[in-house]
Each structure stands twice: as structure tokens, then as C-alpha cells.
Amino acid sequence: MTTSMIRFVVLGTFAATLFASPVWAAGGGGGGGGSISSTDPYAGAYSDQKAQPTYPKRSNPRATQKGKKPNNQSSIDDPAFAAGYRLAYDTIYERNDYATAIAQLKSLGHDDHPNVANLIGYSYRKLGDYEQSQLWYERALKADPNHVLTWQYYGLWQLERGNREQALYHLGRIASICGTDCEEYRSLAAALDKPTGTAFVY
């Protein structure tokens, strides 16, 4: 067997193992305030916590990702993208360095990917820039109207801005996507149960 064939077999075995692994198949984690969400396909590999149950799969999950150029060499499945996303994810959730994370996420070149746009929106919200945060949350939902983690984070944004009715609307959207037992629903519902003016840690 030639060296190139051995490399091909090893690469194929690695790829098959990666995509068959429970963490990748379940979607992994992601989330804020210490919660893990299964809507972020990269974050589960970067968390010590187990992935939450998966949500119903859309028939064509890429159909709602707009603005992606065909034949783009830097695909979201690219290991370089995954490594860059992991770095930004850790910058947010482990170091709370939101300004650096925004720069890292924007440098990935996939601003219209809902996971990327959502984390940029989250970072702006944590920095207190609600206008930019809103723009990025809406960009994430434009890319994927069923991006449940964005509905959760944007719902928390609504609560922080005093828009309780809008937060309740977001809670309803979450329920229609993943039910009332998913982490995103429970998190936003718990925030809604707190008295008005309570500081959120999400």
C-alpha cells in the first residue's frame, strides 16, 4: 500500500469516527450563563459537559444559511473554521473577553452563519452595546429562523431592555422549535419568572 493510500484510509477513518461520534451527532453544546445548548454544532466538542438531547432535525439544515458563496473554499466544515470558532467560544465563556471574541468571530469570514452571528450578538450584549447586539441577533435569525439559541439570547436581550411581552413571544418561539423541556426554554422561562429589574447573569 502506498503512503498516499495509507493517508487516505487514515483520513477517511478519522472523518467517519468524527461524524459518527455522539457529540458531533448530537450537535454539542453552546450557551450562556453556564448552560449548554444543543443548537451550536461546534461548542459541544469544547465543553466538559455532556450534550443535551437533540432537537428535531430540519429536512435541509443548510437551506436557511443565506449568503454563503458556492465553491467557497473556507467552508463551515473546515477544521480551520472549527478551531477559530472554538477559540472565540472559549474567549467568551472562559475568559469573558467579549471585544476580543467579536474580532475573532468576525475574522472567521462567516458572519451570516447563525452560530457566529448569535455569539457576536451575545458578546455585544455583554459589552452593553444593545444596538449592535440586536443587529447581530436579527442577522442570526435571518440566516436561520429556527435558531433556538438566538431566540433564547434575544429573549434575554428583550428582558434587559424591559420588553417583557417580546421576551414572552421569544419563549413561545422556543417552545415551537424544541418544546418546553429544552434548556433554552427553561433558561428564558426562569429569567421571566424573576422580578422586573433583576440583574441577569446570562
Side-chain angles (χ1 to χ4, degrees), residues 111-180:
D111 292 358
D112 288 327
H113 188 282
N115 295 7
V116 173
N118 179 57
L119 285 187
I120 293 173
Y122 173 79
S123 297
Y124 275 121
R125 178 166 66 88
K126 296 301 281 184
L127 289 171
D129 189 337
Y130 288 96
E131 186 175 321
Q132 281 297 312
S133 178
Q134 181 178 26
L135 292 174
W136 284 96
Y137 285 148
E138 290 179 359
R139 191 170 188 168
L141 291 173
K142 183 177 180 185
D144 182 356
N146 292 320
H147 198 255
V148 68
L149 188 59
T150 302
W151 284 109
Q152 177 201 354
Y153 282 12
Y154 200 5
L156 293 167
W157 181 99
Q158 297 288 357
L159 277 177
E160 288 178 10
R161 304 301 292 160
N163 304 327
R164 187 172 180 79
E165 292 302 315
Q166 280 298 312
L168 285 166
Y169 170 77
H170 288 231
L171 187 67
R173 286 301 307 257
I174 294 169
S176 71
I177 297 165
C178 65
T180 58

Side-chain angles (χ1 to χ4, degrees), residues 44-99:
Y46 318 132
S47 170
D48 293 334
Q49 300 183 37
K50 294 188 177 198
Q52 298 293 319
T54 57
Y55 303 144
K57 291 185 165 92
R58 297 190 307 273
S59 59
N60 185 359
R62 295 190 184 274
T64 59
Q65 295 178 15
K66 300 190 188 306
K68 191 174 167 193
K69 296 177 186 173
N71 301 324
N72 185 348
Q73 295 298 319
S74 177
S75 146
I76 60 166
D77 298 323
D78 180 22
F81 172 83
Y85 185 90
R86 174 184 178 167
L87 178 64
Y89 182 91
D90 290 345
T91 301
I92 292 169
Y93 296 112
E94 291 182 12
R95 293 186 288 285
N96 301 322
D97 185 354
Y98 306 111

